[in-house]
Structure formats: C-alpha cells, structure tokens
C-alpha cells in the first residue's frame, strides 16, 4: 500500500498532497456537478476581504504560451456573506478546507480572520494572501517586506489556533527571507508561489491584453520558477512548504516534493479540467510504485 | 453541465472561411438550449492551454453542431479534425435566449455569431413559429443560406454582392419597418461592432432585444472570474460575479438583455 497522505501538523493530515489553489476553484461549490471535491487533499478558497470586491474591468485574462495572465482584482463576496452563504457548505466537506484571506491593512486582515473565527465552524485553517500582484493596496505590499510579513503573521497568529499558511510572492529578491519572516511570525506552513508579474501587449492595437497592464502570470509557463522558489524556501525554513505553479500531472507533484514541498496546489489547470486534481492524486500511487517509493514523504528533498 | 468525450461526425467548410463541425455528444445534446455554449479542449498538449468556448449552432438527436472561423491556434487545430476524432467538451454552459411565444422573433446574426442564432432558427422552425432571420456578411462568399425574404430570410452584404445592400442593422431596420404593428423581440449575435450598433439602436428605440456576447474566457463555469462584462443592473453580491458593476459572460450570459449592458465605452 503506497502512502500518499501528508502530515502537515500533529492535528492536520491530508488524505493526499493535492489541493486547489486560491482563486482557481471558487468557493468549492461551483464545480460540484463535475468533480467529487472530497477526493481532493484540500481546497483553498478564493481570497476573502472585509468588504465585497467587484474586481477589475475586462479584459481580465489573456492566454500566453502554456500560461495565462490575469488581473481579476480579488473579486469576492466579502467576509460577512462568505460566513453566511459559503462557509457552512465548506465546513461540511470531508476534505481539508483552507480559507484564503486578504486585506489592504493589517487591521483588515485581522478583522477578516476574526470574523471567520466567530462563525465557529469546522475547517482546517487559513492561507494568508500577502502576494496578490493585482491590487493597489495591501496584497503584495506585505509579501515583499520581511518585517511586515513577520508582524502580520504574528498578529494573525494571536487571533487563531488553526493551521495558518502564508502564501508567498515570487516577485521578490530573496523569497527565502520572506519565508523565514513568516516562520518567525508563527506560520505553520508557507505556500509558494503566487503569480509572477507579467504583461502582454497587442502589437497591432497597442492595447494591453489585460486591462491593468501589469498582471499575474500562471500556468505551466511558470512551473520552473515555482520549483526554484520552493527549493529555496525549503532550504530556508523548517515548516512545511506547499508548492504552487503550473502543476499539470502527477510527475509535477513529485518534482515539487523532491524540491522540498510537503504538498501542492493546482491552479490554472483547474480551468482546463476541473477534475485534474482528483485525477492526479489518483495517479500518484502508480507513479510512486514506478519510482520505487513506498510513500511520497520519502522522496521529499531527494534531488541530486 | 457535463464533461463529455464527443466524437466528430463531420467537419467541413460551409462558406469562405466558415466551418461547421458536427459531433456526437449525447449528454450535452440532450440538454443544450439555444444560446448556450460548450467549452472545448482542443487537445492534450499545454499550448494552447485554455478551452475554447463556442456557442451551440444546433442539435440533431445525439449530435451537436458548432460553427467556427479559423482565428487562432485553437480553431487551426479544430480545422484538422476528421470524423472519429475524440474531443473533450464541457457543457452545456451559460444561459440561453429567453423566447417569448407571444412575440414575433427577429433573429440577427453576423460572422461566427451565426451559431446561437442558427440554433434558435432551427428551434423555431421545429415548433413552426414564424420568424425573421437577418444575416449580415461582408460579401456573398461568406453566406451559406439563400436570400429568401418571402420565407423570412434576409441576407445583407456590405458590398451589395448578395441580398440587401447594407449592414445587419440596416437589414433589421427594414424588417422592423415591414412589421411595425406586430409585437416582436430581437435576438442578435455577431462581431462586437455589430452588437454595439444593434444594442445601441434597440435600447434607444426601446425595443426588446437580447444579445449573445463573447469575452475572453478561462473556465466557463464561474471559478476563474475572468470573463467579466460591464453591466448596468444593480443586484446584491449573491451572484456569479460577486458584485454589481460586472457580470460574468459564462454564468450570467452569454445572452444578456441589451439594456442591461454598458455598450459604449468611449
């Protein structure tokens, strides 16, 4: 029997290492006609902010070679609506649910998290989005500054006992430094990476392909960037690292685990195939058998 | 909404640069309504990465028809499909046309915007409902139906090489002049400039009009929030786009009432 479970903490064991990435699987209920989400290792929700956000004007997305540019602008229902309409469904799922939260000030992050805590429902924990490149205030502002990352993590740590992972931006000079700041602040894990700042321009019209001009690149195009980031982060911290960036196959999961990740999140590929996370996790035992590994964990960090 | 492996039964050019693809997709065909679309995975490789959304052009038993123009990487691959090719489809998606049986339907299509118009046309023929079909093109070569005003089919061409010399909007206005007294409803799909012209005209004239729109799309069922379109309608945030200012083409559309949309961005 090949073991694909992942122990993230003494309290939190994932049934498999495949989660959905924030902002790429809505609130977990949109695709339920297409896929049994309970077969996933976990779900990370769309980022929640204090107030509802309408997001950016169109066009919000553009396709690139094996990638996708986006500037959605953290469109979301807001924390109050989330707690009332979305969280009860999520709390009833038989998979680990991580609520992603974002804010434009530290107080706002704390208020969003505290509001969700007050709902007093059962779910695994949080992912703190300090790395969204597509909002003017907050978001990446925190994720590029080690001191702010540490302080924000500390303040949120005081507000919850649940599992808390910090989502890191690749748009920094030393991602290991930011990861260490999150660890020092009390994070239980870090996830890496959020989108890479990118842009495309129509050569004929001169129009930006995405309305904001600068936007975020995701998909298989950034997988090598993500793999390098995970490798560096895993060297820098002793808490679990969750790899994110262009994962499209079981082989990619093993790549990230060998780079040092405990688990992974699938993002852009959900748009192409909402069932891909379940398919990849189902294929893992066969792949591990082929590699000659009895568990996923024994491959962690094994690279030469 | 299903994910279904469809099988190509026929794929052929029906006019200059315009192709018709017929696929066997029993589950999607059984539930697709005129105006809905499917999201097509053109192959297993990662370039192009995203599915291609396309309106259903008709349903015949287990078969689904699509109409496309070769435009980019996705449609170039589609053109190469022979019968027997397996194609992964997600659908049917979105909201279709809202048909009111008390009114005279006037259908206006242009370019590949013909697909959802054609599906509605076939549906109305199937229930023997009298209606008008106005199809606009640049020239005769792009048309695949015959100009037949006696039977409610009006072709327009920009260059006057077939049918009515003028735009699709000119054709619509001529049909409206002839049917002044009948309560009617207009259904339009086509290139952005055509939709803007028809939408602006019908809103100004207070005529009931629905538009099927296109926008760059990621997933097709609301999870990516990519296909936003600016809307005028106020509603609370318990809707697919999470907000008031925008709607999602994939979930709220692709069919919208013309007076719900912000049509001019100048």
């Amino acid at each position: 029997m090949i073991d694909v479970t992942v122990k993230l903490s003494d309290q939190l064991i994932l049934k498999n290492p495949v989660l959905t990435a924030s902002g790429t699987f809505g609130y977990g209920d949109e695709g339920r006609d297409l896929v049994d989400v309970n077969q996933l290792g976990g779900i990370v929700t769309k980022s929640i902010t204090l107030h509802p956000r309408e997001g950016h004007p169109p066009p919000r997305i553009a396709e690139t070679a094996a990638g996708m540019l986006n500037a959605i602008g953290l469109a979301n229902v807001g924390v109050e609506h989330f707690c009332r309409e979305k969280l009860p469904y999520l709390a009833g799922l038989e998979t680990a649910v991580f609520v992603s939260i974002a804010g434009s000030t530290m107080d706002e992050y704390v208020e969003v998290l505290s509001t969700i805590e007050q709902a007093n429902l059962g779910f695994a924990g949080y992912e703190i989005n300090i790395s969204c490149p597509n909002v003017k205030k907050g978001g990446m502002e925190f994720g590029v500054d080690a001191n702010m990352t540490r302080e924000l993590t500390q303040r949120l740590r005081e507000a919850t006992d649940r599992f808390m992972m910090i989502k890191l931006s690749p748009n920094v000079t030393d991602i290991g430094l930011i990861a260490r700041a999150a660890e020092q602040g009390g994070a239980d894990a870090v996830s890496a990476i959020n989108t890479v700042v990118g842009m495309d321009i129509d050569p004929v019209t001169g129009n930006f392909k995405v309305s904001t001009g600068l936007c975020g690149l995701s998909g298989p195009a950034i997988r090598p960037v993500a793999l390098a980031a995970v490798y560096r982060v895993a060297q820098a911290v002793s808490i679990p690292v969750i790899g994110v960036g262009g994962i499209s196959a079981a082989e990619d999961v093993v790549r990230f685990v060998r780079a040092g990740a405990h688990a992974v999140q699938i993002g852009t590929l959900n748009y192409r195939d909402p069932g891909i996370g379940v398919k990849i996790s189902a294929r893992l035992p066969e792949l591990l058998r082929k590699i000659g590994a009895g568990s996923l964990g024994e491959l962690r960090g094994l690279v030469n | 909404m299903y994910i279904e492996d469809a099988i190509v039964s026929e794929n052929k050019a029906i006019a200059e640069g315009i192709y018709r693809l017929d696929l066997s997709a029993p589950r999607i065909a059984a539930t697709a309504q005129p105006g809905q679309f499917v999201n097509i995975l053109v192959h297993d490789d990662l370039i192009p990465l995203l599915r291609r959304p396309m309106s259903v052009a008709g349903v015949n038993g287990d078969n689904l028809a699509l109409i496309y123009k070769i435009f980019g990487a996705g449609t170039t691959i589609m053109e190469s499909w022979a019968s027997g090719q397996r194609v992964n489809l997600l659908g049917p998606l979105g909201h279709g046309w809202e048909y009111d049986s008390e009114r005279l339907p006037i259908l206006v299509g242009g370019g590949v915007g013909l697909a959802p118009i054609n599906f509605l046309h076939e549906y109305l023929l199937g229930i023997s409902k009298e209606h008008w079909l106005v199809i606009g093109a640049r020239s005769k070569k792009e048309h695949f139906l015959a100009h037949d005003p006696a039977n409610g089919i009006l072709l327009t061409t920009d260059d006057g090489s077939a049918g009515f010399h003028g735009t699709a909007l000119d054709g619509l206005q001529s049909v409206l002049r002839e049917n002044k007294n009948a309560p009617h409803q207009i259904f339009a799909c086509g290139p952005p400039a055509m939709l803007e012209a028809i939408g602006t005209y019908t809103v100004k004239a207070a005529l009931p009009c629905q538009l099927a729109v296109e926008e760059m799309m990621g997933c097709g069922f609301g999870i990516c929030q990519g296909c936003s379109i600016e809307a005028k309608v106020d509603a609370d945030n318990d809707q697919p786009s999470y907000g008031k200012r925008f709607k999602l083409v994939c979930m709220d559309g692709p069919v919208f009432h013309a007076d719900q949309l912000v049509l001019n961005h100048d």
Side-chain angles (χ1 to χ4, degrees):
Chain A
M1 187 68 185
I2 304 266
D3 183 13
V4 295
T5 62
V6 177
K7 185 177 176 184
L8 287 182
S9 73
D10 288 340
Q11 292 79 37
L12 184 56
I13 293 168
L14 306 178
K15 63 179 88 168
N16 67 63
V18 182
L19 294 80
T20 60
S22 179
T24 68
F25 212 66
Y27 297 104
D29 55 347
E30 295 87 342
R32 59 181 154 186
D33 291 351
L34 301 172
V35 53
D36 178 8
V37 295
N38 288 326
Q39 289 184 47
L40 290 164
I43 292 176
V44 185
T45 70
K46 182 127 188 78
S47 289
I48 308 299
T49 53
L50 188 55
H51 302 292
R53 286 179 59 98
E54 284 167 342
H56 289 312
R60 289 179 173 178
I61 59 173
E63 198 177 35
T64 66
M68 175 180 150
L69 289 165
N70 90 80
I72 307 301
L74 292 182
N76 80 94
V77 296
V79 70
E80 197 183 308
H81 187 93
F82 172 77
C83 287
R84 197 173 62 239
E85 305 291 337
K86 307 289 184 186
L87 192 53
Y89 162 77
L90 289 163
L93 294 178
E94 288 161 18
T95 188
V97 170
F98 300 88
V99 178
S100 172
I101 68 174
S104 51
T105 63
M106 287 204 197
D107 286 345
E108 210 175 296
Y109 277 95
V110 174
E111 193 174 344
V112 173
L113 187 140
S114 303
T115 307
I116 297 169
E117 284 293 290
Q118 281 158 24
N120 203 19
L121 287 164
F123 61 94
Y126 297 97
E127 181 177 80
I128 312 304
N129 182 356
I130 57 165
S131 44
C132 178
N134 296 326
V135 289
K136 284 201 184 77
K137 285 181 70 185
M140 205 165 80
E141 209 177 299
F142 296 97
V144 298
D145 184 309
N147 291 328
M148 281 171 80
T149 298
R150 190 182 304 105
E151 190 186 337
L152 178 63
T153 309
Q154 275 166 351
R155 289 195 54 190
L156 293 167
R157 181 75 289 167
E158 286 162 15
T160 183
D161 294 327
R162 289 185 219 254
F163 193 87
M164 182 167 76
M165 60 182 151
I166 310 291
K167 187 161 184 186
L168 305 177
S169 170
N171 308 303
V172 295
T173 42
D174 183 355
I175 194 170
L177 193 73
I178 310 290
R180 264 198 307 278
E183 183 178 36
Q184 287 159 2
D188 297 300
V190 286
S191 43
I193 55 177
N194 208 316
T195 55
V196 178
V197 170
M199 176 189 280
D200 198 9
I201 298 171
D202 186 309
V204 177
T205 63
N207 292 336
F208 289 125
K209 296 291 276 287
V210 171
S211 66
T212 51
L214 292 169
C215 48
L217 179 64
S218 66
I222 68 162
R223 197 189 71 208
V225 178
L227 202 59
V230 163
Y231 181 74
R232 290 174 84 176
V233 169
Q235 310 283 313
V237 298
S238 55
I239 51 177
V241 182
I242 315 295
V244 202
I247 292 162
S248 68
E251 284 77 2
D252 294 339
V253 178
V254 174
R255 285 186 169 99
F256 275 89
V257 169
R258 283 187 181 277
H262 273 65
V264 299
Q265 298 174 4
I266 294 185
T268 307
L269 269 289
N270 287 316
Y271 303 153
R272 188 181 152 99
D273 178 5
I276 192 161
V278 172
K279 283 180 200 159
I280 286 178
S281 60
R283 241 214 91 213
L284 265 178
E286 180 199 327
L287 177 62
L288 292 174
R289 204 170 292 121
K290 207 170 115 192
I291 294 170
S295 74
L296 191 61
E298 70 184 61
L299 295 177
R300 190 176 317 120
L302 271 193
V303 59
N304 38 56
Chain B
M1 173 165 73
Y2 306 101
I3 292 181
E4 185 168 27
D5 277 335
I7 305 291
V8 171
S9 41
E10 198 172 17
N11 189 18
K12 62 175 183 189
I14 51 172
E16 188 173 84
I18 299 180
Y19 294 78
R20 181 187 164 115
L21 175 67
D22 288 277
L23 308 114
S24 169
R27 294 214 291 178
I28 295 174
T31 49
Q33 300 294 315
Q36 287 190 301
F37 68 101
V38 291
N39 216 357
I40 307 163
L41 188 60
V42 293
H43 62 184
D44 293 334
D45 294 345
L46 296 173
I47 302 176
L49 185 65
L50 299 171
R51 287 176 183 261
R52 269 34 190 176
M54 272 184 205
S55 284
V56 178
V59 160
N60 185 6
D62 285 350
N63 272 284
L64 207 63
L66 304 173
I67 293 175
Y68 65 97
K69 246 183 178 165
I70 297 179
F71 183 74
T75 42
T76 302
I77 291 165
M78 288 175 66
E79 197 263 334
S80 72
W81 291 343
S83 64
Q85 170 81 37
R86 180 191 63 85
V87 180
N88 188 267
L89 300 181
L90 171 61
L93 301 170
H95 285 287
W97 305 109
E98 288 172 19
Y99 162 62
D100 177 353
S101 61
E102 302 293 308
R103 291 174 173 273
L104 170 68
I106 305 174
L107 285 52
V108 189
V112 281
L114 214 63
I117 291 292
N118 188 68
F119 193 2
L120 183 58
H121 170 59
E122 288 181 3
Y123 169 79
L124 295 170
L125 288 176
I127 60 169
S128 302
K129 170 75 182 178
E130 193 186 320
H131 63 281
W132 274 92
L133 178 62
V134 179
I135 304 173
R138 279 171 300 194
S139 72
K140 186 180 179 177
K141 290 181 294 186
E142 294 174 354
H143 279 300
F144 55 87
L145 287 175
H147 185 58
D148 187 6
N151 286 307
I153 298 180
L154 185 83
L155 303 191
T156 73
T157 48
D158 295 347
D159 64 1
S161 56
F164 187 97
H165 187 176
T167 64
L169 176 59
D170 296 330
L172 167 65
Q173 287 170 331
S174 122
V175 171
L176 287 169
R177 276 193 299 273
E178 280 176 38
N179 295 277
K180 252 184 228 146
N181 300 320
H184 51 260
Q185 62 176 160
I186 298 159
F187 304 90
C189 185
M194 178 194 134
L195 285 189
E196 189 178 318
I198 288 176
T200 306
Y201 169 74
T202 55
V203 169
K204 209 169 167 188
L207 303 173
C209 176
Q210 293 167 49
L211 306 175
V213 303
E214 269 194 2
E215 181 61 58
M216 176 72 200
M217 202 175 271
C219 62
F221 62 103
I223 55 169
C224 79
Q225 297 284 312
C227 59
S228 60
I229 184 167
E230 200 163 350
K232 286 181 195 160
V233 178
D234 253 20
D236 66 16
N237 62 354
D238 191 17
Q239 55 179 342
S241 67
Y242 310 146
K244 296 175 186 173
R245 185 176 159 205
F246 301 109
K247 286 188 171 283
L248 295 187
V249 172
C250 71
M251 297 288 285
D252 299 308
V255 172
F256 294 94
H257 290 272
D259 59 3
Q260 289 182 341
L261 299 178
V262 177
L263 291 162
N264 299 296
H265 293 274
D266 303 329

